Amino acid sequence: MTGGRGRYPPISSYAFLSDMHTAALIGPDGAVEWLCVPQFDGESVFARILDRDHGGAFALSVPGADPPVRRYAGDSLVLESHLTAPTGTAAAFDFLAVSECVAEDGDPLAKGVLCRMVRCESGTVPVRAVIDYRPGYATRAAHWERDGAECWRETTTGIRLSGTAPLTLRDETLCASVDLGAGEVVAFQLDYRESDSGGRAPVDVRAAEALRQESCRGWQQWSERCSYHGAARHAVVRSAVVLRGLAFDDSGATLAAPTTSLPEWIGGERNWDYRFVWHRDASLLVLALYRLGHAAQGRRYKQFLFSLDSAQAGELKPMVRIDGGTESREKTLDHLVGYAGSRPVRVGNEAFEQTQFESYGHVLDAAYVYHQLTGDLGDAEWSTLRGLVETIRHRWTEPDHGIWEIRGESRHHTYSKLMCWVCLDRGIRLAEELCDGREPLITGWQAAREEVRRDVLAHGYNNDRGAFVQEYGGTALDGSLLHVGLFGFLPGDDPRVVSTIDRIIAELSDGDALIHRYHPDEVDDGIDGPEGAFLMCSFDLVSALVLAGRIDEARDRFTRLLEFAGPLGLFSEEATADGVALGNYPQAFTHLALIQAAMNLDAGSDSDALHAWSTREANVTRRTAYR
């Protein structure tokens, strides 16, 4: 790898904060290096993670202190940092404030506040704050003006900043300096969206502490509803908390990641904006959280999906904005050097213009399981789903851009065809349950399902390779095809599934746990250069091995994969065998695949339950859910 990595903390060292409205990433030195306002996909106001010199940051430090020892408070996204300085010790607390859960099945709600506190535990400690606020992805200077005696307001974005230590303006930067004695606390509060009354009162220590405790309670109340008590429970619950933090409560959408342009290879150009909703991720989220005992987010995604005009018209864009919009112009920010010199820095994503048929299969699979779990699909929802199944019945023979959004000509991707089969299969099952089999289109769907099945087996499996391959007529392997057994297209121990697993292990492995999604030097994906191993595929291999009956092998891989988490239990998109995290972070589909792998491992001795889940048998929840 090339580039100036030495000046940039490891991606896995960043802490992730969220209030389900926006997110912040905090570096190991205590600086907020990424924050977008007024929501996840807004323009950044701190972007030092993408440019150490020009991106801007909210630094809060104890000069001379050793590197902090950090953790999340319980099962929350409230960060605690413990510092030892030459003259004393201190504890720091960082969080995007949320409310307590107002109902038994309710969720914490955003308060629109980033709060930062430092408390001296012993001796004396100096505390320094430097707020280098650079709005518009660091294209504009900050314009601060006094907003009362203790507050400052940035006029271009409307955010307000207050502190219990005096903030002074030096050029365009706000600074504060205070020495704390034992038991003393300094607090800073950034209000990133105005209250109905036009602004909150300046922060005070008592109010900040109350917000911290309420935020901890809100997260803990949500986490304690997790019904899973099996293998790797701590990692599963942490993953669920991350997924909850990637939800946008205003719409019910779930982001793939809260960041843009963190590189898939240091110094490379595989740098993408992931602050969007991929139906693949969102539908898998419904399944994972329902299995864990969290139903509310699944209902929110259902409402989000069925509110989309494109879905109602029988078409799924591969991705949508978090407000449901279906357009995004991709552009590069040439003034930012990128993480460790990895250019270009991109915002927006041209994958909006692609065709990805796999999305239809994921949505219909989630809808089918959702209906089994809740019985909560009505005529209007069925009308929308019916239109999606019809689209696939008529279009499954067309090429598409595939799950990996290859930039170039459309192709006949085996995984896309597999998911067309899933779409038809789940549509047929829903019709049988919702319409008592009287759906007039069901005969055509059944014929198409069998035609797709024959086509995939004839053209997607390469006998010479002994594996399902990425595209018809090709020879390249693809980690997505570990799902052939996971979606019940074939039994998990079918010889063709097992041989595909073995070929992927033999040819796509990186070290003794990681799997590449494919080899870029074998696949013309429109982008030059290498990439890291794909953590989602690596966890999917665990699940595939469980269904193949190779449970000990699966458990060994799972144990090794857990070691690729960062110090706070967060996973990126990709990694190298020596532990370098790559790609946008934290990554939803990695945490989703971790949850699925853990739950499949936990049920590994119950072959009936595993078969019921992979084939989506009726009453599947009673056989596989954890109570």
Side-chain angles (χ1 to χ4, degrees):
M1 293 190 183
T2 60
R5 198 172 80 191
R7 295 187 62 212
Y8 288 77
I11 290 173
S12 60
S13 70
Y14 284 87
F16 166 61
L17 308 182
S18 172
D19 60 2
M20 287 71 72
H21 200 83
T22 193
L25 293 188
I26 299 181
D29 63 353
V32 176
E33 295 193 14
W34 182 251
L35 177 68
C36 297
V37 299
Q39 58 195 36
F40 290 108
D41 60 354
E43 295 182 338
S44 70
V45 294
F46 303 125
R48 195 169 81 177
I49 194 172
L50 295 176
D51 192 315
R52 298 297 292 176
D53 297 320
H54 306 293
F58 183 165
L60 184 62
S61 64
V62 174
D66 295 335
V69 177
R70 301 180 301 162
R71 67 178 185 183
Y72 286 114
D75 296 321
S76 78
L77 290 178
V78 175
L79 181 68
E80 298 180 352
S81 304
H82 296 273
L83 304 103
T84 301
T87 57
T89 61
F93 307 93
D94 295 290
F95 55 96
L96 281 159
V98 298
S99 69
E100 293 186 63
C101 299
V102 296
E104 183 177 346
D105 63 346
D107 287 348
L109 300 174
K111 290 180 174 286
V113 172
L114 171 67
C115 192
R116 314 200 68 191
M117 306 166 59
V118 179
R119 181 177 65 215
C120 180
E121 302 286 329
S122 65
T124 60
V125 293
V127 178
R128 306 291 181 261
V130 178
I131 299 91
D132 184 14
Y133 189 88
R134 301 195 182 188
Y137 298 111
T139 58
R140 303 195 302 271
H143 295 284
W144 294 103
E145 62 179 23
R146 285 282 186 185
D147 189 13
E150 301 173 70
C151 294
W152 291 84
R153 181 176 181 274
E154 204 282 318
T155 59
T156 66
T157 56
I159 71 101
R160 298 171 73 250
L161 184 69
S162 61
T164 59
L167 288 158
T168 58
L169 186 63
R170 300 176 186 171
D171 296 326
E172 297 161 354
T173 302
L174 286 171
C175 303
S177 178
V178 64
D179 294 330
L180 299 179
E184 293 181 330
V185 178
V186 64
F188 299 93
Q189 180 171 294
L190 187 152
D191 297 325
Y192 69 81
R193 58 180 183 180
E194 298 218 18
S195 67
D196 294 338
S197 61
R200 294 180 178 84
V203 66
D204 64 67
V205 169
R206 183 176 298 179
E209 177 61 18
L211 275 178
R212 182 182 74 86
Q213 293 185 18
E214 183 179 13
S215 297
C216 287
R217 288 194 300 270
W219 279 110
Q220 201 64 39
Q221 289 164 350
W222 186 87
S223 301
E224 287 174 355
R225 293 203 296 271
C226 178
S227 55
Y228 177 75
H229 296 280
R233 185 181 190 276
H234 178 75
V236 168
V237 174
R238 175 53 52 193
S239 292
V241 169
V242 170
L243 294 172
R244 185 68 189 92
L246 292 173
F248 181 53
D249 277 352
D250 281 11
S251 67
T254 297
L255 290 81
T259 55
T260 182
S261 298
L262 294 184
E264 297 175 19
W265 194 258
I266 303 299
E269 60 180 280
R270 297 176 184 272
N271 316 318
W272 314 108
D273 192 345
Y274 272 18
R275 296 171 299 159
F276 299 99
V277 184
W278 274 260
H279 293 298
R280 167 200 64 209
D281 301 351
S283 59
L284 289 172
L285 181 78
V286 173
L287 308 185
L289 292 187
Y290 263 108
R291 291 181 82 183
L292 293 175
H294 294 289
Q297 198 162 346
R299 289 193 294 270
R300 279 193 296 271
Y301 172 65
K302 182 200 78 167
Q303 294 163 357
F304 176 72
L305 172 67
F306 291 116
S307 72
L308 300 176
D309 292 339
S310 59
Q312 294 173 18
E315 179 185 4
L316 282 180
K317 293 281 190 179
M319 52 194 287
V320 294
R321 297 198 310 261
I322 61 175
D323 64 359
T326 55
E327 295 181 359
S328 173
R329 185 172 66 90
E330 182 175 300
K331 62 181 180 180
T332 61
L333 304 180
D334 294 330
H335 63 285
L336 296 176
V337 302
Y339 176 89
S342 303
R343 280 177 160 160
V345 173
R346 294 181 173 97
V347 295
N349 197 312
E350 77 173 36
F352 270 86
E353 305 305 318
Q354 293 189 348
T355 299
Q356 294 178 28
F357 290 132
E358 52 90 16
S359 299
Y360 293 77
H362 282 290
V363 165
L364 264 293
D365 185 59
Y368 178 64
V369 175
Y370 178 87
H371 179 68
Q372 287 186 296
L373 288 159
T374 67
D376 186 27
L377 286 179
D379 292 342
E381 288 101 351
W382 172 238
S383 177
T384 297
L385 294 169
R386 186 176 183 264
L388 298 177
V389 181
E390 268 292 276
T391 295
I392 290 302
R393 180 170 79 94
H394 290 291
R395 297 189 61 188
W396 73 267
T397 58
E398 299 176 18
D400 75 343
H401 294 92
I403 184 175
W404 307 128
E405 298 161 4
I406 288 175
R407 298 199 168 196
E409 292 184 1
S410 298
R411 307 171 193 178
H412 290 283
H413 292 95
T414 302
Y415 185 73
S416 297
K417 307 298 186 187
L418 165 69
M419 296 311 292
C420 287
W421 178 89
V422 171
C423 176
L424 292 159
D425 179 74
R426 301 330 188 235
I428 291 165
R429 296 195 202 187
L430 277 168
E432 291 170 346
E433 294 193 13
L434 290 169
C435 309
D436 296 325
R438 292 192 294 271
E439 167 59 56
L441 297 173
I442 196 169
T443 301
W445 296 349
Q446 289 168 334
R449 178 179 63 179
E450 295 312 306
E451 191 176 354
V452 175
R453 180 181 180 85
R454 289 192 299 270
D455 194 64
V456 170
L457 293 176
H459 302 292
Y461 187 82
N462 186 308
N463 286 300
D464 293 335
R465 298 287 279 125
F468 286 96
V469 291
Q470 185 179 78
E471 63 179 276
Y472 285 10
T475 59
L477 299 174
D478 192 315
S480 68
L481 294 167
L482 293 165
H483 286 94
V484 170
L486 298 179
F487 281 107
F489 181 81
L490 289 175
D493 58 357
D494 183 281
R496 290 162 292 188
V497 174
V498 173
S499 64
T500 300
I501 291 172
D502 289 338
R503 295 317 310 154
I504 286 174
I505 292 173
E507 299 185 34
L508 295 184
S509 288
D510 189 351
D512 58 2
L514 297 176
I515 295 293
H516 286 271
R517 56 179 176 171
Y518 56 82
H519 280 312
D521 56 353
E522 295 180 359
V523 175
D524 180 11
D525 59 10
I527 303 293
D528 293 330
E531 64 178 16
F534 222 68
L535 285 164
M536 178 181 77
C537 294
S538 303
F539 281 110
D540 284 342
L541 176 57
V542 172
S543 292
L545 286 167
V546 172
L547 266 69
R550 293 155 60 171
I551 297 173
D552 289 343
E553 183 180 352
R555 184 174 292 109
D556 288 345
R557 281 187 171 271
F558 183 77
T559 300
R560 292 195 294 270
L561 283 172
L562 292 181
E563 297 174 0
F564 286 88
L568 292 166
L570 309 180
F571 285 88
S572 60
E573 178 184 10
E574 301 181 7
T576 64
D578 58 356
V580 176
L582 297 166
N584 285 302
Y585 167 93
Q587 182 66 237
F589 56 56
T590 304
H591 286 277
L592 285 165
L594 182 157
I595 291 172
Q596 177 170 280
M599 299 182 85
N600 287 334
L601 265 176
D602 199 60
S605 60
D606 189 342
S607 59
D608 289 341
L610 289 170
H611 176 77
W613 181 253
S614 65
T615 59
R616 308 299 193 256
E617 289 183 359
N619 300 318
V620 67
T621 79
R622 289 198 292 271
R623 304 178 70 177
T624 61
Y626 295 83
R627 296 287 184 257

